[in-house]
Amino acid sequence: METWDAITSRRNVREFEDRPIADEDLERILEAGRRAPSSRNWQPWDFVVVTDRDQLTELAGVWRGGGHIAHSAATVVVVLPEVESADQRTRAAFDAGQATVQMMIAAADLGIGSGHSAVGDQDRAREILGFPEDRFAYIMIDFGHPADRPLRPIRRPDRRPLEEVVHRGRW
Ligand SMILES: Cc1cc2nc3c(=O)[nH]c(=O)nc-3n(C[C@H](O)[C@H](O)[C@H](O)COP(=O)(O)O)c2cc1C
């Protein structure tokens, strides 16, 4: 897929075919996250990748908006360090967002769907995934082959108009 097609095709996919993602495709998605830019090249993230069906089902219970994780082929949980200052937390969150979308676009390039899920119950997430006390799960990204319809460029995305969003030269 062309880069532009990957960008315009990406959407939150919440229904997945019951088949795995090829190992090399999953590695590429993770590598896309690893290569993301970060403030001062801090790379605050760790990625916990889950492909076991029982574990995915448990993970789906961590947040009421994350039911689709149970049916994904793989879910990547972006884990960040607990930090002292609000400034550091903001920077880590920005960096995690960049890694997230980079993985999602890499997936779309391969025709693989992805979706976000927030993390509600940190204790439960820690039990399931085993990350240390000084870390927290920031976002869960589920991946799989879309069961609803293939990824195709979306002609009319549900977005504010460009003219409203963009201020040229001055607000
Ligand atoms: C930080 C963040 C958290 C999100 N959490 C959830 C979630 O818990 N469950 C869900 O189904 N979608 C979640 N979403 C997906 C958004 O609802 C979705 O990206 C938005 O509606 C735009 O739709 P699109 O991604 O299909 O373009 C989340 C998105 C972001 C960026």
Side-chain angles (χ1 to χ4, degrees):
M1 208 184 267
E2 294 292 326
T3 308
W4 182 244
D5 287 344
I7 289 169
T8 56
S9 298
R10 189 220 55 84
R11 59 183 168 83
N12 257 256
V13 175
R14 300 184 178 91
E15 292 170 52
F16 299 103
E17 288 179 5
D18 186 18
R19 63 178 168 113
I21 296 173
D23 288 346
E24 63 268 29
D25 289 350
L26 191 51
E27 288 305 304
R28 179 181 282 198
I29 290 166
L30 292 162
E31 175 67 2
R34 184 181 80 94
R35 285 178 180 245
S38 62
S39 172
R40 298 177 202 153
N41 202 21
W42 179 20
Q43 306 164 67
W45 49 66
D46 282 82
F47 308 140
V48 185
V49 57
V50 177
T51 54
D52 176 78
R53 182 63 56 209
D54 291 340
Q55 209 183 352
L56 288 166
T57 303
E58 281 194 85
L59 212 47
V62 160
W63 171 242
R64 62 187 154 78
H68 43 284
I69 286 173
H71 310 289
S72 66
T75 288
V76 174
V77 183
V78 179
V79 174
L80 292 179
E82 293 281 9
V83 286
E84 303 261 309
S85 72
D87 170 61
Q88 278 182 311
R89 198 175 169 101
T90 303
R91 286 200 287 124
F94 185 87
D95 295 343
Q98 300 211 91
T100 298
V101 81
Q102 196 137 301
M103 284 191 266
M104 290 180 141
I105 299 296
D109 179 55
L110 298 163
I112 295 168
S114 62
H116 307 80
S117 174
V119 181
D121 187 339
Q122 285 292 333
D123 293 338
R124 188 77 196 106
R126 187 173 284 106
E127 273 170 29
I128 298 165
L129 303 171
F131 55 84
E133 287 288 330
D134 63 350
R135 308 290 164 105
F136 70 102
Y138 184 68
I139 192 93
M140 302 188 282
I141 315 158
D142 45 311
F143 296 96
H145 297 93
D148 47 0
R149 59 193 186 282
L151 294 181
R152 294 234 172 76
I154 299 167
R155 303 276 165 230
R156 290 168 190 233
D158 178 16
R159 293 296 189 265
R160 293 166 55 207
L162 195 67
E163 305 73 48
E164 183 186 307
V165 173
V166 178
H167 306 261
R168 299 181 197 274
R170 203 174 148 77
W171 184 282

